[in-house]
Amino acid sequence: MGGFLAKLKTFKDRYFGVSVAYAFRIQWAYKDFLRCKFPFVMRLYMQSYRKKLEAAYERVSKKEGPVEVAFFLTIPGMWKSDYLFRLMRESGKYHPYVVVYPYSVYKDFNEEECWKTINRTREFIEAKGFECRVPYDEGKKEWLDVNKEYNPDVVIFSTPYKDMPKQFYLYNFKDKVTCYIPYGYSVLNIFNLNYNLPFHNLVGVHFVETKIHQQIAAANSTNKAINTEIVGYPGVEVFLDKNYTPKNVWKLQEQPKKKVIWAPHHTIGDTFNLSSFLDYYDYMLELAEKYANQIQFLFKPHQLLKFKLMSMWGEEKTNAYYARWSNLANTQLEEGSYIDPFITSDAMIHDCGSFTSEYLHTKHPVMYLVKDADMENRFSPFGKKCFNLHYHGHNREEIERFLTEVVIGGNDPKREEREAFFDAYLGLQNGMTPSERIMQFFNEKFKRN
């Protein structure tokens, strides 16, 4: 019996990787099991997609007037295209707009919270002065087809997953120029998920961060990374912009205090299991109360964490916990953008993937909460470099020591290493920002120079 169960688990992990119920919902919606699991089937689809892509490039290059560009977005934290959007809008050659749609309609997330997230995302984009569209028919209570409603020339995705109404997924845009700007800096060794989903193999162009990332894609994708372009990571441009002035998002205090972010991930007990939230959720509030006269804390959870907690704890307990972070005099909750909190903070404690590299742009001290002893080996070669520039927290004592010695005491022995790494890998390269490189790519493809 034990052998049979082990084989059943191996089959599940190989062909589903997530809960069977969730996997069947996805398969029922997309009906793409063969192309997902068998490379030779994917190669046949790739040939067709590449031909249609070239036709789309040709069609757009002959178009008179601005190129219609739809940026797809689900939650504020996935938005990485401020600078690209502005460059397109200011050029006069492009008409960019943001399309907001729901994240994960297959995981039984709380519907009310989903709509709060959609509205929060819309408000986040509109506050920037960007054109925003929510293609939802209130009368029919259904999401509309962007192709039919807006007919974009270019669709820029921020996520490669199928956790969306299928009319928003790549398969619905075979005759468009499709692009992918990753919502996070790729630092983990989850190479199949980052580079070899159907989306990665079929999308028109996948903008990657560095030569290292392109090499990893080539080694792990069915299409051998033929659709990748090295541009850098647009999500960090704001850290390189000397003219950017961040807003002071922190609660006013009677006296100056150190500003510390706690950013827990959402992966509780799933395939990745990065999150240490359940180990420290009460303890972090205890620390906030203990050091109320010296530190103010900003709780910046991954935006999917709340959905997970509502499933585990229920709505009442989850909302009560989030409210505690909002209500203490020296604590606060941030569910929107993390850029201004990052820049204006003094330190961060987290267990997220992309933040492992992104926060290093601030050059501030940072601690990674280590979930297991093999944590370093869960990072990619680039990610390991970033991970080892963190202080590592294995338990409560090490977290408190980081706060007292490094943050409050100013004893930061990793500071010079972080600054050297920034100069070597993270600073502006070759005089062009990632968005400028992407614009150069589009201008050449669409003959808009």
Side-chain angles (χ1 to χ4, degrees):
M1 185 66 177
F4 171 76
L5 293 176
K7 290 179 180 178
L8 184 62
K9 183 180 185 304
T10 299
F11 177 83
K12 171 191 169 296
D13 292 343
R14 178 179 179 184
Y15 290 105
F16 297 106
V18 290
S19 76
V20 174
Y22 169 72
F24 273 117
R25 287 176 190 150
I26 290 289
Q27 287 303 321
W28 181 259
Y30 288 93
K31 299 177 177 62
D32 60 354
F33 182 84
L34 294 178
R35 81 187 77 159
C36 289
K37 300 303 178 183
F38 298 97
F40 76 92
V41 178
M42 176 57 69
R43 292 188 187 99
L44 294 175
Y45 275 90
M46 283 164 43
Q47 293 175 14
S48 172
Y49 261 75
R50 301 312 293 181
K51 289 179 181 178
K52 291 178 180 178
L53 175 67
E54 292 305 317
Y57 278 131
E58 183 68 19
R59 184 174 62 254
V60 177
S61 69
K62 293 179 179 179
K63 178 181 179 179
E64 294 183 4
V67 177
E68 297 287 319
V69 183
F71 288 79
F72 277 20
L73 183 66
T74 56
I75 57 180
M78 289 183 174
W79 178 251
K80 310 296 178 182
S81 299
D82 265 10
Y83 288 82
L84 178 60
F85 192 100
R86 291 192 180 99
L87 284 175
M88 285 185 167
R89 187 174 62 179
E90 292 165 5
S91 75
K93 304 170 186 176
Y94 300 86
H95 172 215
Y97 52 89
V98 180
V99 175
V100 176
Y101 64 94
Y103 183 87
S104 193
V105 293
Y106 303 106
K107 289 183 178 178
D108 296 325
F109 284 166
N110 182 283
E111 185 175 354
E112 181 182 354
E113 190 61 33
C114 286
W115 272 106
K116 287 180 181 178
T117 301
I118 291 166
N119 290 327
R120 187 163 55 243
T121 305
R122 176 182 53 79
E123 293 165 1
F124 167 76
I125 292 298
E126 290 177 345
K128 296 176 179 293
F130 296 167
E131 182 179 345
C132 184
R133 303 177 182 184
V134 183
Y136 184 76
D137 188 317
E138 287 283 356
K140 296 181 179 178
K141 301 298 181 184
E142 64 181 26
W143 288 91
L144 304 175
D145 187 331
V146 172
N147 262 335
K148 296 177 181 178
E149 295 298 315
Y150 311 138
N151 190 29
D153 299 307
V154 180
V155 177
I156 300 180
F157 295 90
S158 58
T159 171
Y161 312 124
K162 291 183 285 190
D163 292 316
M164 61 188 73
K166 63 181 182 180
Q167 64 265 40
F168 294 95
Y169 188 66
L170 179 72
Y171 297 160
N172 193 38
F173 301 95
K174 297 176 182 178
D175 61 340
K176 308 295 183 182
V177 175
T178 54
C179 311
Y180 175 42
I181 297 176
Y183 68 86
Y185 218 119
S186 179
V187 296
L188 298 173
N189 66 356
I190 47 175
F191 301 140
N192 190 69
L193 188 68
N194 284 339
Y195 301 108
N196 200 33
L197 297 178
F199 179 95
H200 299 111
N201 286 293
L202 298 174
V203 71
V205 57
H206 178 182
F207 295 113
V208 296
E209 304 93 323
T210 67
K211 184 69 174 178
I212 297 174
H213 293 86
Q214 188 181 60
Q215 290 169 345
I216 293 173
N220 291 276
S221 60
T222 302
N223 71 4
K224 305 303 178 186
I226 61 170
N227 60 343
T228 58
E229 290 286 332
I230 302 171
V231 297
Y233 183 52
V236 299
E237 284 181 77
V238 65
F239 300 115
L240 306 175
D241 184 353
K242 295 181 180 179
N243 296 318
Y244 180 76
T245 302
K247 296 177 183 177
N248 181 13
V249 298
W250 297 81
K251 279 185 181 179
L252 185 64
Q253 304 290 296
E254 292 183 358
Q255 63 188 44
K257 298 174 184 177
K258 295 293 184 180
K259 299 175 176 64
V260 177
I261 299 169
W262 176 40
H265 205 239
H266 71 92
T267 48
I268 299 173
D270 64 10
T271 305
F272 307 117
N273 197 28
L274 297 174
S275 180
S276 58
F277 175 81
L278 295 180
D279 297 322
Y280 300 116
Y281 71 95
D282 275 338
Y283 181 63
M284 295 305 294
L285 282 168
E286 291 175 18
L287 288 173
E289 293 178 349
K290 182 175 181 178
Y291 294 97
N293 294 325
Q294 297 163 289
I295 303 175
Q296 56 185 127
F297 288 83
L298 183 146
F299 178 45
K300 180 66 186 78
H302 190 289
Q303 289 174 315
L304 296 185
L305 179 62
K306 194 170 188 179
F307 293 109
K308 297 282 185 72
L309 293 178
M310 283 184 168
S311 297
M312 295 169 53
W313 287 356
E315 189 171 351
E316 183 177 353
K317 181 178 178 179
T318 301
N319 287 334
Y321 181 79
Y322 275 55
R324 288 183 67 191
W325 280 100
S326 296
N327 296 333
L328 293 178
N330 69 316
T331 66
Q332 61 197 82
L333 169 67
E334 177 56 67
E335 295 184 276
S337 173
Y338 56 84
I339 298 300
D340 290 343
F342 271 26
I343 296 173
T344 55
S345 67
D346 294 297
M348 183 168 76
I349 299 170
H350 76 103
D351 51 17
C352 297
S354 184
F355 284 1
T356 309
S357 60
E358 288 187 64
Y359 192 76
L360 293 178
H361 287 79
T362 69
K363 302 181 185 178
H364 303 323
V366 56
M367 167 170 274
Y368 195 99
L369 297 180
V370 179
K371 182 68 175 176
D372 54 59
D374 195 41
M375 193 67 224
E376 182 177 354
N377 292 326
R378 299 176 69 179
F379 286 92
S380 69
F382 180 84
K384 287 181 181 180
K385 294 178 184 291
C386 299
F387 176 71
N388 286 320
L389 292 170
H390 284 59
Y391 296 92
H392 297 160
H394 299 85
N395 51 53
R396 296 184 173 194
E397 291 74 20
E398 290 179 345
I399 296 173
E400 187 167 12
R401 192 180 308 127
F402 173 72
L403 293 175
T404 57
E405 295 182 5
V406 180
V407 180
I408 297 174
N411 180 23
D412 183 9
K414 289 185 176 289
R415 180 176 60 83
E416 291 185 4
E417 291 180 74
R418 292 195 306 273
E419 292 177 351
F421 182 81
F422 178 91
D423 293 338
Y425 293 97
L426 304 180
L428 195 63
Q429 304 294 322
N430 300 322
M432 292 183 71
T433 66
S435 290
E436 288 170 341
R437 293 184 181 186
I438 293 173
M439 280 292 286
Q440 183 182 61
F441 173 86
F442 284 141
N443 286 337
E444 291 176 355
K445 286 287 187 179
F446 301 145
K447 298 180 174 61
R448 289 301 196 271
N449 286 315

